[in-house]
Amino acid sequence: MTTSGTVCHPVDWQDAPLLDSETLADDLARHFHYTLGRDKVGESQHYLYQALALTIRDRLVARMRQTRNVTTSVPTRRVAYLSLEFLIGRSLNNAILNLDMAAEVSAALANYCAELEHIASAEHDAGLGNGGLGRLAACFLDSCATMALPVTGYGIRYEYGMFNQRIDNGQQIEQPDHWLREGHPWELPAPDKTVRVKFFGHVDIYRDHQGREHRQWLDTQDVLAVPYDVPVPGYGNDIVNTLRLFKSEATDEFDLGEFNAGGYAEAVAQKNLAEQISMVLYPNDSSENGKELRLRQQYFLCSAALQDRLNQWIAIKGAQFTDFADYHVFQLNDTHPSIAVAELMRLLIDEHCLSWDDAWQITTRTMAYTNHTLLPEALEKWSVALMQRLLPRLMQIIYEINARFLILVAKQWPGCAQKQRALSLIEEGANPQVRMAYLAIVGSYSVNGVAALHSRLLKEQLFADFYALWPQKFNNKTNGVTPRRWLSHCNPELAQLITAKIGDDWVKDFAHINRIRRYYDDDSFIAAWQKVKQANKARLRELVQQRCAVQFDSTMLFDVQVKRIHEYKRQLLNILHVIHLYRRICDGDTQGMVPRCVLIGGKAAPGYDMAKRIIKLICNVANTINDDPRAKAWLRVAFLPNYNVTAMETICPGADLSEQISTAGKEASGTGNMKFMMNGALTIGTLDGANVEMLEALGGEHFFTFGAKVEQIDDIRRHYSARAIIDNDPQLQKVIALLQSGHFNLCEPNIFAPIINLLYDDSDPWLTCYDFASYCQAQQAVSEAYQDPKHWTQMSILNTAASGQFSSDRTIAQYSEDIWQLQAMPTRQGE
């Protein structure tokens, strides 16, 4: 669908640096010898990586500039994708793949007796995200560029990422992730686009010469938002979009007079306060200072991004906003950027003198909100007291939005005070809170969930009253992942096998992957598939040996669960099953079992004690099992420290079984499930999130389902008795008895008592004990299926063949058609 008035001009690609091997080699030598001043490579690959990155970046920057010219020379409908996270991983290989330069790069590196695989390992994962939310945003940017859609990502340039996770005696140790310490050659600073972001101060009222009332936000503590642009290349089309990241800086270095008077600490305090904003991803917000910093980060991003877009508009169209909404969409990636609703109102009213009604019309026609969670506790709320102190003008605007909104509520439900309280943007109580998700819903024209089940539950449960008020706003956009990164790049041997059979159209149009279904019964194709899987498992075995000092056997079933450590994701259920298998081995009951290697990885939030304790249990169980000679032939277990994007690129091609075992109704979608499916892993999972749609696409006979369904959860909780469940399940009794005996913590008495108490807790929201028996049955079905290698491989092929609808290209096409209404830019090939 095309917006009226949107025009895209042809792009001149002639000035872009050539991609041939000779030109590439010359540029590589120039950067190595002159930009970096090196004579020889030496033992470190650092400088050769930097030179290659700069060489590739030259080619990206030229195309990024040309792509920008399409949307800035004349008004073009564009999307600003606001996200607190962009988990982009490493950029070098992704850029080489999308530019189709692998052969040319290898030829240029041959002059240095170097291989791309070793050079690429010198790159640090960009510390710009935490988990699935940030990785999804990165996949979306890749798809937008590949589909030539004018979309710019806006985020924060965190100096330190989430944290580097080290495991010491089973305990998670958090260490700084200073991913920028050796520079980031992919970014381009744009200091001329710097904007100011206000904090604190007070609001005054004044009247202009026509008697109209205005408000001024005065005596503020301003922070500079300095942009750094990272190119985002599309696949094979010469389109390069932009990820604009903001770094916070002080407006002045320090007060020179105070410094000269000896007050050094006071003189630089303001500078330090400003730079804290972009210092660390997601600070621990268990303290009031932590909460304040997180709110400052959210407002910093939103204000900087909105000012940037308004400035670009004014440069083209001047200070008139009549048709601004025809050309702009601000997509809010989860609740974190929801303050953008109030900030756009502030900018339009206070800075550009629009009336409230005109500003509200623009805001509600340009804001679109994606919700990523069904957990009420994950829907951010900020205390009114904090908002009034930190963002006094924004708090006034939120109050006004709420007052006008509650008039609509009163009209919909006359005389119903309960509805007024339930839907108010301000949650009443001793410490009133601003409900940020509600602000996003009220201020947006589109509200979407990220899986069919998730979107249904939003409408029926979490946001049921809002759905009753505005049913037209709500829609579903099931998540997807980019097949370029998550199959073509991370599993090149499988990609080559697929291409040899069906051609390479699938890389850009992943719906074509379904064509390999016709070969699932071809013995030669099955054998080739098995050969690729064994090679991938060998690489994963090496990673586990290197990172965990545990020897996996690639002839065994590789059973993998890697994701953020959280009780709802139920790593605890997984390790209880591992203990169950170990108990059986010790009892000599191995009938029907298959040898398996269990790999679990993920980070726990620094303040999340139970998640950290679960990591400790996993590590202790792993040590006990791996040291027991009785278990060696049947079971090996490892916890992978510091799980990240680069590790996943080795893990998902090597996995046989993907664990997607969250409590039904808790996982919004999941994207790891899709990555594993693309690479031919079979899934054991609950009917939760996108698992439901994966099952529908694949067929139940190729998916190992278990556990309570969403429709059953409420009734189960009403009658839930953990002790009764345990008493009636002899296998679970044995597992808990082994835990209680201290077998896994002989020298650490009672360390797992909180976990045991949780299992006996009738209020356990995760229903771990309830689903245990069903989970064990599904795992037994896994064992039986794995004993038939041909049939297992056929199911693996069918998983990959059925993964076509879980491409982020499909997701973005739906965003573009249903929400954004964008027109694709012209590409070099004229596509």
Side-chain angles (χ1 to χ4, degrees):
M1 190 180 297
T2 304
T3 302
S4 175
T6 297
V7 180
C8 288
H9 284 260
V11 182
D12 179 10
W13 305 103
Q14 302 305 312
D15 294 335
L18 298 176
L19 304 181
D20 64 283
S21 56
E22 183 177 351
T23 305
L24 187 75
D26 289 345
D27 288 350
L28 178 61
R30 174 173 56 83
H31 280 301
F32 185 73
H33 294 298
Y34 296 105
T35 305
L36 303 174
R38 299 295 108 186
D39 293 324
K40 55 185 179 181
V41 175
E43 294 183 4
S44 171
Q45 306 290 344
H46 169 73
Y47 289 108
L48 191 54
Y49 156 70
Q50 290 275 338
L52 179 58
L54 292 170
T55 301
I56 301 298
R57 192 189 74 174
D58 288 346
R59 284 141 181 82
L60 294 179
V61 169
R63 290 159 175 80
M64 182 169 71
R65 187 176 65 248
Q66 292 159 338
T67 301
R68 274 185 190 165
N69 288 340
V70 173
T71 57
T72 57
S73 57
V74 294
T76 300
R77 187 166 175 83
R78 297 185 289 162
V79 170
Y81 194 84
L82 276 59
S83 179
L84 263 288
E85 298 185 41
F86 287 94
L87 202 60
I88 60 178
R90 292 173 173 173
S91 296
L92 177 60
N93 275 323
N94 185 68
I96 291 171
L97 171 69
N98 283 8
L99 290 174
D100 192 21
M101 295 181 61
E104 290 79 6
V105 169
S106 295
L109 289 175
N111 297 328
Y112 301 86
C113 299
E115 295 181 355
L116 177 57
E117 181 179 356
H118 296 117
I119 299 304
S121 66
E123 182 176 2
H124 296 283
D125 273 37
L128 299 173
N130 175 14
L133 179 79
R135 184 54 233 172
L136 179 78
C139 284
F140 278 8
L141 291 188
D142 175 270
S143 288
C144 289
T146 297
M147 299 170 72
L149 297 175
V151 177
T152 300
Y154 282 96
I156 295 179
R157 182 182 180 268
Y158 301 105
E159 186 83 14
Y160 291 86
M162 175 68 172
F163 57 81
N164 281 321
Q165 180 193 53
R166 181 169 62 85
I167 302 298
D168 186 357
N169 189 32
Q171 302 282 359
Q172 172 177 289
I173 306 298
E174 298 104 18
Q175 297 177 320
D177 174 23
H178 194 189
W179 69 281
L180 284 170
R181 66 181 178 274
E182 294 176 345
H184 188 223
W186 301 100
E187 66 184 11
L188 293 140
D192 59 312
K193 306 298 182 184
T194 297
V195 296
R196 284 179 175 247
V197 179
K198 298 180 177 183
F199 295 98
F200 302 107
H202 65 274
V203 181
D204 278 355
I205 300 174
Y206 75 97
R207 295 186 181 276
D208 62 21
H209 62 281
Q210 294 179 332
R212 292 177 301 189
E213 190 175 272
H214 299 272
R215 283 166 174 76
Q216 287 181 302
W217 190 1
L218 302 173
D219 297 330
T220 55
Q221 296 180 18
D222 294 359
V223 173
L224 299 181
V226 183
Y228 287 74
D229 291 345
V230 178
V232 181
Y235 177 77
N237 63 2
D238 277 350
I239 293 292
V240 178
N241 282 340
T242 302
L243 169 59
R244 175 158 283 185
L245 303 171
F246 291 101
K247 178 185 178 183
S248 60
E249 294 185 1
T251 53
D252 299 298
E253 284 301 306
F254 51 77
D255 185 322
L256 186 60
E258 194 162 25
F259 175 78
N260 289 335
Y264 176 77
E266 294 78 7
V268 299
Q270 187 65 30
K271 174 180 170 61
N272 293 338
L273 187 64
E275 293 179 351
Q276 283 178 8
I277 293 175
S278 60
M279 185 62 68
V280 181
L281 168 72
Y282 278 49
N284 188 339
D285 63 358
S286 59
S287 68
E288 282 304 311
N289 286 340
K291 286 183 171 66
E292 179 178 308
L293 179 53
R294 189 159 176 175
L295 177 56
R296 293 178 76 202
Q297 286 182 330
Q298 294 177 4
Y299 178 66
F300 172 79
L301 166 63
C302 294
S303 181
L306 293 173
Q307 289 186 66
D308 186 64
R309 272 303 163 89
L310 289 172
N311 289 343
Q312 291 180 37
W313 173 260
I314 291 168
I316 299 171
K317 297 274 287 186
Q320 70 83 19
F321 296 92
T322 305
D323 55 350
F324 180 86
D326 294 334
Y327 296 100
H328 291 86
V329 178
F330 300 103
Q331 188 69 46
L332 310 180
N333 189 31
D334 212 5
T335 312
H336 310 133
S338 54
I339 193 69
V341 172
E343 174 63 3
L344 183 56
M345 289 294 291
R346 184 192 73 81
L347 291 169
L348 292 174
I349 294 171
D350 294 359
E351 305 294 332
H352 299 289
C353 300
L354 270 68
S355 69
W356 179 278
D357 289 342
D358 288 344
W360 188 243
Q361 184 181 50
I362 289 172
T363 298
T364 54
R365 288 181 59 203
T366 57
M367 293 286 166
Y369 168 49
T370 299
N371 174 275
H372 283 279
T373 183
L374 287 161
L375 302 177
E377 62 269 23
L379 296 177
E380 287 180 304
K381 302 175 186 177
W382 298 111
S383 76
V384 169
L386 174 61
M387 290 279 288
Q388 286 177 327
R389 182 169 59 85
L390 188 67
L391 304 170
R393 180 60 180 130
L394 276 294
M395 194 63 243
Q396 289 182 345
I397 290 171
I398 290 171
Y399 273 133
E400 182 67 18
I401 293 172
N402 193 43
R404 292 171 182 246
F405 168 61
L406 290 180
I407 293 173
L408 293 179
V409 175
K411 290 179 180 178
Q412 181 74 12
W413 293 284
C416 185
Q418 188 277 331
K419 288 293 184 187
Q420 295 272 330
R421 288 192 297 271
L423 290 175
S424 174
L425 305 188
I426 311 299
E427 182 179 84
E428 299 174 2
N431 180 24
Q433 306 281 313
V434 180
R435 296 161 163 160
M436 301 306 289
Y438 289 14
L439 175 64
I441 294 172
V442 171
S444 297
Y445 70 91
S446 169
V447 178
N448 73 278
V450 291
L453 175 62
H454 172 232
S455 296
R456 176 168 68 84
L457 294 177
L458 289 181
K459 293 187 288 187
E460 294 178 356
Q461 298 179 12
L462 197 62
F463 299 140
D465 288 335
F466 286 102
Y467 178 65
L469 191 61
W470 292 308
Q472 74 281 0
K473 282 191 182 187
F474 286 79
N475 60 94
N476 175 63
K477 299 292 174 283
T478 298
N479 284 341
V481 300
T482 169
R484 268 81 60 186
R485 168 86 66 163
W486 295 113
L487 181 50
S488 186
H489 162 63
C490 75
N491 202 342
E493 292 180 9
L494 187 62
Q496 291 166 14
L497 176 62
I498 293 169
T499 296
K501 284 293 185 182
I502 65 172
D504 63 359
D505 289 350
W506 62 270
V507 182
K508 197 163 188 178
D509 185 353
F510 201 56
H512 293 319
I513 198 68
N514 187 55
R515 295 174 183 171
I516 66 167
R517 183 183 298 271
R518 68 188 72 161
Y519 301 104
Y520 91 102
D521 208 21
D522 182 321
D523 287 342
S524 63
F525 188 68
I526 291 171
W529 193 278
Q530 290 171 334
K531 183 179 179 180
V532 169
K533 175 59 74 173
Q534 284 303 309
N536 288 331
K537 290 175 74 172
R539 280 190 282 273
L540 178 51
R541 180 191 64 208
E542 292 172 6
L543 178 68
V544 172
Q545 173 66 42
Q546 175 190 354
R547 301 269 288 272
C548 313
V550 176
Q551 291 186 343
F552 275 15
D553 182 342
S554 56
T555 65
M556 299 167 77
L557 169 70
F558 278 18
D559 178 349
V560 178
Q561 185 182 22
V562 285
K563 53 184 74 226
R564 181 166 53 97
I565 307 296
H566 195 288
E567 289 171 90
Y568 89 82
K569 294 181 183 288
R570 296 204 295 192
Q571 287 89 355
L572 178 57
L573 180 61
N574 190 348
I575 203 64
L576 290 178
H577 175 254
V578 169
I579 297 171
H580 165 65
L581 293 178
Y582 177 59
R583 177 84 254 183
R584 286 182 58 191
I585 293 167
C586 293
D587 290 344
D589 175 21
T590 57
Q591 184 177 359
M593 286 178 61
V594 294
R596 74 170 71 200
C597 298
V598 178
L599 180 66
I600 302 175
K603 296 177 180 179
Y608 194 170
D609 179 73
M610 182 58 75
K612 287 185 169 183
R613 204 172 293 267
I614 290 170
I615 291 176
K616 172 66 173 170
L617 175 61
I618 294 167
C619 293
N620 280 27
V621 169
N623 290 338
T624 300
I625 292 173
N626 296 333
D627 288 343
D628 191 330
R630 294 173 296 181
K632 184 175 183 181
W634 291 102
L635 185 60
R636 302 177 195 182
V637 186
F639 182 88
L640 185 86
N642 210 40
Y643 168 66
N644 58 14
V645 174
T646 297
M648 185 59 163
E649 291 170 2
T650 299
I651 293 169
C652 66
D656 291 309
L657 184 67
S658 163
E659 298 268 356
Q660 308 298 329
I661 59 177
S662 54
T663 309
K666 295 299 183 182
E667 184 73 81
S669 169
T671 51
N673 48 4
M674 302 170 187
K675 296 165 196 169
F676 283 114
M677 185 186 193
M678 278 186 183
N679 287 273
L682 277 61
T683 303
I684 182 169
T686 51
L687 292 181
D688 194 28
N691 286 358
V692 176
E693 291 158 84
M694 290 169 55
L695 176 69
E696 292 170 353
L698 183 62
E701 66 272 24
H702 308 303
F703 191 109
F704 302 98
T705 59
F706 76 94
K709 298 179 175 63
V710 169
E711 295 77 13
Q712 301 170 316
I713 295 292
D714 288 343
D715 186 61
I716 291 170
R717 287 198 176 117
R718 278 194 293 270
H719 306 95
Y720 189 69
S721 170
R723 184 169 294 277
I725 292 170
I726 295 168
D727 288 346
N728 288 295
D729 186 340
Q731 301 300 333
L732 184 53
Q733 285 181 39
K734 290 180 180 180
V735 168
I736 294 178
L738 197 56
L739 270 176
Q740 290 173 324
S741 73
H743 184 70
F744 302 109
N745 54 301
L746 295 174
C747 299
E748 302 166 294
N750 299 319
I751 192 172
F752 299 129
I755 293 177
I756 296 168
N757 292 339
L758 175 64
L759 294 174
Y760 278 100
D761 188 351
D762 290 343
S763 63
D764 174 20
W766 322 114
L767 304 181
T768 306
C769 290
Y770 184 89
D771 278 351
F772 177 79
S774 177
Y775 181 53
C776 289
Q777 291 172 6
Q779 288 284 15
Q780 185 59 37
V782 169
S783 295
E784 293 169 2
Y786 195 71
Q787 293 177 53
D788 185 344
K790 179 179 178 180
H791 182 56
W792 183 275
T793 305
Q794 288 177 312
M795 290 196 292
S796 174
I797 294 167
L798 292 174
N799 264 268
T800 299
S803 65
Q805 73 185 65
F806 302 106
S807 164
S808 51
D809 295 351
R810 184 270 313 153
T811 311
I812 289 301
Q814 293 176 341
Y815 270 96
S816 182
E817 182 177 354
D818 299 341
I819 300 175
W820 300 342
Q821 300 179 341
L822 298 181
Q823 175 181 330
M825 296 176 284
T827 65
R828 176 171 54 87
Q829 294 87 346
E831 297 173 353

